[in-house]
Amino acid sequence: SQTIHQWPATLVQPVGSPLSLECTVEGTSNPNLYWYRQAAGRGLQLLFYSVGIGQISSEVPQNLSASRPQDRQFILSSKKLLLSDSGFYLCAWSDPTGDRGLEQYFGPGTRLTVT
Amino acid sequence: RKEVEQDPGPFNVPEGATVAFNCTYSNSASQSFFWYRQDCRKEPKLLMSVYSSGNEDGRFTAQLNRASQYISLLIRDSKLSDSATYLCVVTGSYNTDKLIFGTGTRLQVFP
């Protein structure tokens, strides 16, 4: 069965510090991968998605970036955090080859507080 | 107008009650629809996909009305463990692998 991991679970960082969040998926190959952010009391906002190694699409302009160095690894980064980057960061995967290719499955998330 | 709109609730219902949530979407070209469940401070989990003909999974029934552009979720015989936020999700029209999430309807089931 497929599993998705994210770490760290929680993070408190000062403004201006760098960020690196990691997501890995097990039990599947060539997944589509997604980064979302959920701000307090708000819906999920798609930040990035990837259909393959090195292929990243950005949904909103921001000071975040994403990379996919391996098939099942997705990394979210920032060089300098802003207060507005606080939120719940969720990684998700989907299987584009199956008949349920649009269903997305989420990792446990990282709760980021920028102080 | 928001792409996906839901009544935020909360819906407070006793155990054993039947409760229904509606969700409206703005893009008539959306093709796929889902309900996700999110517990407090946890990740969303797929509850069920919503098919054109409607579908049922145990105590949960989902319906789609394309003409009126709304989706419903019916929960029968509510359990305490059903307490959560229910997210309505639709696909965008220009790139169907992107999901658009509603902000959710909160359900609280009490004893």
Side-chain angles (χ1 to χ4, degrees):
Chain A
S1 64
Q2 300 86 4
T3 54
I4 178 169
H5 305 278
Q6 282 186 251
W7 62 90
T10 59
L11 192 59
V12 180
Q13 293 283 94
V15 168
S17 63
L19 173 74
S20 181
L21 303 181
E22 189 163 343
C23 169
T24 58
V25 181
E26 296 177 356
T28 188
S29 296
N30 304 314
N32 286 351
L33 297 173
Y34 310 84
W35 277 112
Y36 289 86
R37 176 171 58 207
Q38 187 175 37
R42 301 185 67 179
L44 274 74
Q45 179 186 33
L46 179 63
L47 302 175
F48 300 96
Y49 73 96
S50 172
V51 299
I53 295 174
Q55 300 179 62
I56 310 293
S57 295
S58 174
E59 287 299 295
V60 294
Q62 59 207 319
N63 70 322
L64 299 171
S65 62
S67 62
R68 184 169 176 175
Q70 300 180 45
D71 180 46
R72 290 169 289 177
Q73 184 185 29
F74 205 22
I75 297 172
L76 183 70
S77 304
S78 174
K79 292 181 179 178
K80 289 185 177 182
L81 284 169
L82 306 173
L83 285 174
S84 57
D85 291 324
S86 294
F88 191 34
Y89 287 83
L90 292 153
C91 181
W93 71 273
S94 67
D95 177 1
T97 63
D99 57 2
R100 295 187 170 187
L102 298 178
E103 295 177 353
Q104 294 183 19
Y105 301 92
F106 287 84
T110 295
R111 199 162 295 277
L112 172 66
T113 302
V114 182
T115 60
Chain B
R1 182 184 174 186
K2 289 184 180 178
E3 292 179 279
V4 179
E5 292 203 63
Q6 295 183 252
D7 181 342
F11 285 58
N12 296 303
V13 302
E15 277 187 287
T18 295
V19 61
F21 309 134
N22 285 337
C23 160
T24 58
Y25 60 95
S26 61
N27 193 331
S28 60
S30 293
Q31 295 296 313
S32 298
F33 310 90
F34 309 91
W35 284 102
Y36 278 73
R37 169 198 169 124
Q38 186 172 24
D39 292 290
C40 186
R41 301 181 69 82
K42 298 289 188 179
E43 74 275 22
K45 293 184 178 178
L46 179 65
L47 181 64
M48 58 198 307
S49 300
V50 185
Y51 303 120
S52 296
S53 56
N55 46 304
E56 186 175 310
D57 183 2
R59 297 182 294 109
F60 299 84
T61 300
Q63 296 282 351
L64 169 63
N65 185 318
R66 285 189 185 273
S68 300
Q69 293 180 213
Y70 80 79
I71 309 150
S72 65
L73 178 67
L74 181 77
I75 305 176
R76 291 181 298 277
D77 189 22
S78 297
K79 312 290 186 190
L80 294 175
S81 58
D82 293 333
S83 298
T85 297
Y86 291 83
L87 307 177
C88 174
V89 184
V90 308
T91 53
S93 61
Y94 300 110
N95 189 328
T96 57
D97 67 347
K98 294 183 186 178
L99 300 183
I100 302 168
F101 286 76
T103 53
T105 297
R106 188 173 160 215
L107 171 66
Q108 185 67 47
V109 182
F110 56 88

